[in-house]
Amino acid sequence: DAMVIQNPRYQVTQFGKPVTLSCSQTLNHNVMYWYQQKSSQAPKLLFHYYDKDFNNEADTPDNFQSRRPNTSFCFLDIRSPGLGDAAMYLCATSRLVGASGAYEQYFGPGTRLTVT
Amino acid sequence: KNEVEQSPQNLTAQEGEFITINCSYSVGISALHWLQQHPGGGIVSLFMLSSGKKKHGRLIATINIQEKHSSLHITASHPRDSAVYICAVSILTGTASKLTFGTGTRLQVTL
């Protein structure tokens, strides 16, 4: 089935040790998003790609970087994870739906990051 | 005041009950989404609405654009429906749509 896949599902890293989270999609969608969701909070958009065009949210810390080498893959790099970066990281993709220009977003299962 | 408000925040129901979750928003949107998240899990998109009503199985979603209000209904609720239900609105920004999320409604369905 076409889907959004995130690896790994669970990641443990040490304080300050760089970590990379992976997202892949078989939907051939132009847009890919990375969200951070902390416990009992709503997801927070970190950045998105439209094709190779990178769009950073104004309040996303510099510690968070992203790469999209091709349509199918997108990576989230956390350069120096702090304890406050422990969260669920969600990848989503979207395509154009309907004349209104509304985009339906398809979410991956998420990667739960623990920082020790 | 949040741009997207949901009510109730928590809801407990017995199996078989009809459930309604409400969502109000205060901004112009291109679409409204209802999402489901099980504890510790990822997010599943249930519906995307820009007008009217949609039905999928036991789930029904409605939206009133003029009143900026949407409802998610679950008929014949079941314990497997226990999850957090999130209302989110799409706002188009150039080449993508950004989602603004409500705070979620935690639903517990008991036997």
Side-chain angles (χ1 to χ4, degrees), chain A residues 56-113:
Chain A
N56 199 31
E57 292 300 295
D59 57 354
T60 298
D62 292 340
N63 198 26
F64 292 86
Q65 305 285 316
S66 185
R67 296 169 284 133
R68 190 179 185 186
N70 53 53
T71 300
S72 300
F73 284 88
C74 194
F75 299 100
L76 171 62
D77 301 307
I78 307 176
R79 293 193 296 188
S80 182
L83 297 178
D85 296 327
M88 173 79 88
Y89 289 88
L90 296 161
C91 173
T93 71
S94 73
R95 57 180 169 88
L96 181 62
V97 177
S100 67
Y103 294 74
E104 183 170 13
Q105 291 199 16
Y106 294 76
F107 285 85
T111 294
R112 183 167 296 282
L113 178 68

Side-chain angles (χ1 to χ4, degrees), chain B residues 52-63:
Chain B
K53 175 179 173 179
K54 286 189 176 180
K55 184 175 189 291
H56 181 69
R58 294 181 293 107
L59 302 178
I60 303 166
T62 64
I63 188 168

Side-chain angles (χ1 to χ4, degrees), chain A residues 31 33 48-50 55 94 101 103 105, chain B residues 91-98:
Chain A
V31 191
Y33 307 80
H48 76 272
Y49 277 93
Y50 180 78
N55 298 271
S94 73
Y103 294 74
Q105 291 199 16
Chain B
I91 300 169
L92 285 183
T93 58
T95 56
S97 78
K98 293 188 177 181

Side-chain angles (χ1 to χ4, degrees), chain B residues 47-107:
Chain B
F47 295 104
M48 185 184 75
L49 294 161
S50 51
S51 66
K53 175 179 173 179
K54 286 189 176 180
K55 184 175 189 291
H56 181 69
R58 294 181 293 107
L59 302 178
I60 303 166
T62 64
I63 188 168
N64 184 318
I65 297 293
Q66 287 73 29
E67 294 185 4
K68 292 185 164 62
H69 180 270
S70 175
S71 293
L72 175 68
H73 307 285
I74 305 175
T75 61
S77 59
H78 190 277
R80 64 175 173 268
D81 297 326
S82 299
V84 176
Y85 292 83
I86 304 168
C87 172
V89 297
S90 291
I91 300 169
L92 285 183
T93 58
T95 56
S97 78
K98 293 188 177 181
L99 292 182
T100 298
F101 295 86
T103 51
T105 295
R106 185 174 300 275
L107 172 65

